[in-house]
Amino acid sequence: MNRNMELHPTSVTSEPASPTNSTGKEEMDVAPELNSSTSPSHDIGIFERGIKTMLSIRKSKQNLNKDKEKESTGTLRSIRLSFKFPKSYEQDKTTICNGMEEIGEKIELEPIKGKPLSVMEINELIQKRQLLEAFASIKYLEDEVIAERDADKYKDNPQEFARKSKDVDLLYNSITSTIQSIVVGTLEHPTVDETMLASLVTLIANEEAAHPNASDTTGPESDLLGTPRKWKEEWREAINKSARKRVLSIPLASKEEESSWLDLHLGFLRKHLSEDLLKVKFAVKKCYPEDYRVCDMYVEAFHKAIASHLQDLSQRPLEFNELYALLDWIANTYLSELLLGHPDLKPEVKTENLSLLLTPADWDKLKNNYIASVKGKIKSYFGNILKLEITEKWEKEVQPEVEENLYNSSLSFDIQTIIAEHMKASRMISRSLEMKMLELCLAELHEFIPRFGEEFLEWNASRDSPIFAPYFAAYINSFHDLVSGLQTVFKVNTEELQNVLAALTKKFRNNFLNKLRTKTQPLFKKILTKDWILATEKPDSLALAVSQFSKHLQHMKEPVGQELLCDIHKHVVREYITQVIKPRRKMKGETRQQVRERMNQEAKILNNMLMDQGSTSDWLLPAIHHIADIVGEKEKNKIKEYVMELCQDYPDIRKEHILAVLVLRGLGRARRGAIIRKGYRPQESPGGGTSSTLFAEIDAPAVISCF
């Protein structure tokens, strides 16, 4: 309830009395300092202090009386000023306002004989934060200077007008600074001074009522007289300043002091911000009218302050873990129930209309920096896998584990675990970051696999290690699992990876066969030697040497293991025939029989062993037997039949190969020619590539032409 009283107190705004109404009464609203207590005795105390303060002010300056006396007015003009209470406080203070109205109606203005509070005294009120009283006195001075200016009092003394105008402006600025200080300090103290904030709301309302439609043109101090001071805007800016100050005050250790400095800082940021917003909702909000939108103001202010702070943090040279901590805080913590989404902050704190903490460009830059930093990590992780394989398996010659009859290596599992963990972490930030992470991991994998293979082959190059063949099989299995896992779990197009693995597998196979060749070559060279013919060497010696390699292929995944076993089968038969058809001295009939028996015996042992291990190259079985039969056949007429069978089973055989076998049998030139003419019929090699070719891969001896 607002009424007007004819008073000139320090706690209200008053103006000089009008010359035409020097003895009349005008009503003026009084805005007492709000207090949380509502007891009758306390209210009476407020009235008494207000009355005493009002009556303690002299009604006008002495020299102003003299000026007005010259103009025969006798008194100053009295200008009414209505102070507006916030709605909530009007309801709570009905008794107080009614009492002040009754007192005001009984008090008449006396002729002004004294002077109002001095600038120094008003400033003391401001320092004591008695802002309502201070504002009333400043408004009195302001109105007085305006009235004197309008009366041309300063026509001959503009310096005096400038001085007084500046005093008014400085006092207003002092109140502005105090308002900012009060707002900034609201969250810094353990408890909220509700009385002070209530007075602040009243002060802002009074100032808006005192300058309702005045020009707000900025300029020299004299031009600011009577203009709105926009204290509500200052209040908003003070909230922004408070938020910035609160954010910047959160502990931030240096990297040298604490390795987890950013994690700790972001944890403190979440904790303090949550506490501040809860304080705003439960303690600060109730001190303001609804139209102040206090919670929204503080949320927006903190949001801007945090965005600026995170922008500064993102510009620092951050490492892998620090970049992820920042990304995770922005993407997952900020809007979660740990902070703005906290159940206790609902429904006052609204997040749907908040802008992004970082601009899209800065967000993308932060993600790209993370991907760049994680590249080295992935490379390092893959490198550690290689180191563990070398130190814990190769050097210690630890046999690989066998699971479901297959050699097992942790290589595929370790690689997929690394990829999965980093993709999961990236997915927590964004889908796009997850895809970038997958691309990075695959790129690093394409580099790592060849490097791993080279290290494995190089390490084994100068060693006759018993673990070579088992780990060769284990790694081929692991590569197969890796491709399968990437396809099924990560939905990756593995075409490029398969090309990489195919090239590495080919190197592995060649190396495997080279080691087999190195191991078996001395045994192949003994074929058809005297000791070999005399059976000094056991017939299973060659088969045992081959088995040292081929037996491990049983523990490889299909089809790679079986394909390689077939390659070994062909390799053994091919090398055997190559050794047999080399030019040699003529053998006697008895020796040829021994050779026939020995060749058939070894061929049977070799073929049975490889077929038992899983070879499907049964088409290789007759090759050595055909040659053995030709060498050992006593009846020369039957040799033509064996040659025809040989040509039929192996269409890729050439005339030079048959001549070499006939020379081994000891036939003369004429006989050889006759058999070639009758028994050899060149045929096209069967289709299906090189899998069914044998003699095409065997070089015929050049010396055949001599026979």
Side-chain angles (χ1 to χ4, degrees):
M1 182 181 297
N2 294 328
R3 294 287 302 276
N4 296 327
M5 300 173 62
E6 272 187 328
L7 297 174
H8 297 279
T10 58
S11 60
V12 297
T13 303
S14 62
E15 298 179 355
S18 170
T20 61
N21 192 23
S22 60
T23 59
K25 296 180 180 179
E26 276 198 329
E27 295 176 338
M28 176 176 290
D29 283 349
V30 178
E33 295 284 354
L34 298 179
N35 193 290
S36 59
S37 173
T38 57
S39 65
S41 62
H42 187 73
D43 293 340
I44 292 172
I46 293 176
F47 285 121
E48 291 176 349
R49 289 195 300 274
I51 296 293
K52 291 178 181 179
T53 303
M54 285 186 257
L55 297 180
S56 68
I57 300 176
R58 305 287 297 274
K59 299 305 189 264
S60 77
K61 293 183 180 179
Q62 192 68 31
N63 58 355
L64 184 59
N65 267 336
K66 294 178 180 178
D67 291 340
K68 295 302 178 181
E69 286 171 0
K70 291 179 181 179
E71 296 173 6
S72 302
T73 59
T75 60
L76 293 174
R77 285 186 302 123
S78 176
I79 301 175
R80 297 195 307 173
L81 176 63
S82 175
F83 289 109
K84 182 180 179 182
F85 284 94
K87 184 177 180 181
S88 59
Y89 296 118
E90 290 177 358
Q91 296 172 352
D92 295 338
K93 301 299 180 178
T94 302
T95 305
I96 298 175
C97 293
N98 289 339
M100 290 297 288
E101 288 169 5
E102 294 172 1
I103 295 173
E105 290 172 354
K106 297 177 181 178
I107 299 177
E108 290 187 3
L109 282 177
E110 298 178 0
I112 300 173
K113 299 178 181 179
K115 62 179 180 179
L117 294 179
S118 67
V119 171
M120 185 71 70
E121 291 170 325
I122 297 173
N123 191 57
E124 288 178 0
L125 290 177
I126 297 173
Q127 298 306 314
K128 295 177 181 179
R129 295 193 172 183
Q130 298 177 13
L131 301 184
L132 292 176
E133 297 179 34
F135 170 68
S137 296
I138 298 171
K139 187 62 176 70
Y140 178 87
L141 291 178
E142 182 181 40
D143 291 344
E144 184 180 61
V145 174
I146 291 173
E148 291 174 345
R149 179 196 63 189
D150 294 343
D152 290 333
K153 177 181 177 182
Y154 304 109
K155 183 177 182 180
D156 298 327
N157 191 5
Q159 293 82 2
E160 179 67 12
F161 174 67
R163 182 186 65 78
K164 290 185 176 182
S165 297
K166 185 173 183 179
D167 286 344
V168 171
D169 189 57
L170 289 175
L171 290 170
Y172 273 135
N173 289 343
S174 183
I175 288 188
T176 300
S177 297
T178 304
I179 291 173
Q180 293 176 341
S181 177
I182 292 170
V183 176
V184 170
T186 298
L187 298 179
E188 296 179 353
H189 301 295
T191 58
V192 174
D193 190 339
E194 297 180 9
T195 301
M196 181 60 69
L197 294 183
S199 298
L200 187 62
V201 171
T202 303
L203 176 67
I204 293 173
N206 287 352
E207 191 280 330
E208 289 176 346
H211 304 110
N213 298 309
S215 172
D216 59 356
T217 303
T218 58
E221 289 81 357
S222 59
D223 294 340
L224 294 175
L225 287 175
T227 61
R229 295 294 162 166
K230 301 180 180 179
W231 282 341
K232 196 167 186 179
E233 293 182 14
E234 295 292 343
W235 170 80
R236 294 192 189 99
E237 180 52 39
I239 289 178
N240 289 329
K241 182 178 180 181
S242 173
R244 290 193 297 269
K245 185 177 180 182
R246 297 289 290 171
V247 169
L248 293 177
S249 68
I250 293 173
L252 179 60
S254 67
K255 187 178 297 187
E256 292 73 19
E257 295 172 332
E258 176 57 59
S259 58
S260 302
W261 65 276
L262 188 54
D263 274 325
L264 291 173
H265 176 66
L266 294 175
F268 286 135
L269 184 60
R270 179 200 61 76
K271 178 178 180 294
H272 289 285
L273 178 58
S274 179
E275 290 174 351
D276 282 350
L277 291 178
L278 288 170
K279 189 174 184 179
V280 169
K281 174 181 176 179
F282 292 111
V284 178
K285 177 178 177 287
K286 62 185 179 182
C287 299
Y288 291 91
E290 287 295 326
D291 64 325
Y292 271 65
R293 298 174 51 248
V294 172
C295 287
D296 291 341
M297 291 295 104
Y298 272 99
V299 170
E300 291 169 8
F302 273 114
H303 184 72
K304 288 188 291 184
I306 291 172
S308 177
H309 183 55
L310 295 179
Q311 171 71 20
D312 292 340
L313 289 176
S314 68
Q315 301 305 313
R316 297 190 177 199
L318 302 177
E319 296 178 356
F320 161 72
N321 291 332
E322 296 160 352
L323 287 164
Y324 185 81
L326 193 56
L327 287 167
D328 182 57
W329 198 92
I330 295 171
N332 300 314
T333 301
Y334 184 61
L335 296 179
S336 73
E337 291 188 357
L338 296 173
L339 222 166
L340 295 189
H342 195 288
D344 290 341
L345 292 175
K346 295 177 181 179
E348 285 77 7
V349 173
K350 304 175 182 64
T351 61
E352 55 271 15
N353 296 324
L354 293 176
S355 61
L356 297 173
L357 279 175
L358 294 180
T359 65
D362 288 335
W363 180 242
D364 288 340
K365 181 180 178 182
L366 191 61
K367 291 191 293 184
N368 291 335
N369 288 344
Y370 173 69
I371 290 295
S373 70
V374 85
K375 181 177 181 179
K377 283 287 182 182
I378 299 296
K379 190 182 294 292
S380 174
Y381 293 149
F382 288 166
N384 288 336
I385 291 176
L386 176 57
K387 289 178 182 177
L388 287 174
E389 292 293 311
I390 294 174
T391 58
E392 298 299 320
K393 297 177 182 178
W394 304 350
E395 292 181 351
K396 294 181 179 180
E397 295 192 340
V398 177
Q399 290 288 334
E401 296 179 356
V402 178
E403 293 182 5
E404 298 180 358
N405 199 40
L406 296 175
Y407 283 133
N408 181 54
S409 166
S410 62
L411 188 65
S412 173
F413 176 80
D414 292 342
I415 290 174
Q416 291 189 64
T417 299
I418 290 171
I419 295 175
E421 287 180 352
H422 283 80
M423 285 186 64
K424 180 181 178 181
S426 299
R427 190 185 311 124
M428 298 293 291
I429 307 302
S430 71
R431 176 66 177 169
S432 64
L433 189 64
E434 180 188 19
M435 291 298 98
K436 286 185 177 181
M437 180 61 67
L438 179 58
E439 292 173 5
L440 170 64
C441 290
L442 291 177
E444 289 301 315
L445 186 59
H446 293 163
E447 292 183 8
F448 169 71
I449 287 178
R451 179 160 59 95
F452 179 89
E454 290 297 330
E455 287 283 345
F456 178 62
L457 296 179
E458 183 177 333
W459 187 85
N460 282 283
S462 59
R463 293 172 176 81
D464 185 19
S465 175
I467 68 166
F468 168 74
Y471 272 105
F472 160 78
Y475 291 144
I476 296 295
N477 291 341
S478 196
F479 293 153
H480 182 278
D481 290 342
L482 181 60
V483 170
S484 177
L486 291 174
Q487 289 174 339
T488 57
V489 177
F490 301 100
K491 312 301 180 185
V492 171
N493 182 346
T494 60
E495 182 178 354
E496 183 179 353
L497 178 61
Q498 289 186 67
N499 292 335
V500 172
L501 291 174
L504 180 59
T505 301
K506 184 178 180 180
K507 284 186 177 182
F508 273 24
R509 289 169 62 142
N510 291 339
N511 192 272
F512 182 88
L513 292 174
N514 286 337
K515 280 192 168 291
L516 174 64
R517 185 178 295 109
T518 301
K519 195 73 174 179
T520 58
Q521 198 62 33
L523 295 173
F524 281 119
K525 288 182 178 181
K526 291 182 178 182
I527 295 175
L528 294 180
T529 63
K530 183 177 180 180
D531 290 339
W532 181 85
I533 294 172
L534 296 175
T536 304
E537 288 287 334
K538 293 181 179 180
D540 61 350
S541 298
L542 180 59
L544 290 174
V546 173
S547 180
Q548 289 181 5
F549 289 83
S550 60
K551 66 181 180 181
H552 297 293
L553 303 182
Q554 301 176 79
H555 305 295
M556 286 183 68
K557 286 182 177 291
E558 301 297 347
V560 181
Q562 189 177 74
E563 289 174 355
L564 187 53
L565 193 61
C566 292
D567 286 345
I568 291 176
H569 198 162
K570 179 191 284 190
H571 168 77
V572 171
V573 174
R574 184 178 64 239
E575 291 298 315
Y576 198 100
I577 294 174
T578 299
Q579 191 66 27
V580 166
I581 64 175
K582 287 182 178 180
R584 302 176 187 278
R585 295 177 181 180
K586 287 186 177 180
M587 294 183 289
K588 296 179 180 181
E590 183 180 347
T591 302
R592 288 196 297 270
Q593 290 301 315
Q594 290 176 319
V595 169
R596 180 181 188 176
E597 292 177 4
R598 180 66 183 238
M599 286 180 63
N600 283 328
Q601 187 180 26
E602 286 192 336
K604 183 177 181 181
I605 293 173
L606 282 169
N607 283 314
N608 289 344
M609 182 268 294
L610 291 167
M611 295 297 290
D612 289 344
Q613 289 179 354
S615 172
T616 58
S617 297
D618 53 355
W619 63 277
L620 292 169
L621 295 178
I624 299 175
H625 292 297
H626 285 324
I627 296 174
D629 289 342
I630 292 172
V631 171
E633 180 56 49
K634 295 179 180 180
E635 298 182 18
K636 295 181 180 180
N637 292 333
K638 290 186 177 180
I639 293 176
K640 182 182 69 173
E641 298 177 6
Y642 291 136
V643 169
M644 293 177 66
E645 291 176 357
L646 181 61
C647 293
Q648 186 176 357
D649 287 342
Y650 302 97
D652 63 330
I653 195 170
R654 300 195 304 275
K655 181 168 57 175
E656 291 80 4
H657 294 125
I658 297 174
L659 287 173
V661 175
L662 294 177
V663 168
L664 179 64
R665 168 62 180 77
L667 295 178
R669 185 169 184 178
R671 177 71 68 175
R672 295 198 305 268
I675 293 175
I676 290 293
R677 285 192 298 272
K678 295 180 180 179
Y680 174 67
R681 295 289 183 270
Q683 301 181 33
E684 294 182 2
S685 298
T690 61
S691 60
S692 297
T693 63
L694 176 62
F695 284 90
E697 301 173 24
I698 299 174
D699 294 331
V703 294
I704 292 303
S705 58
C706 299
F707 291 89

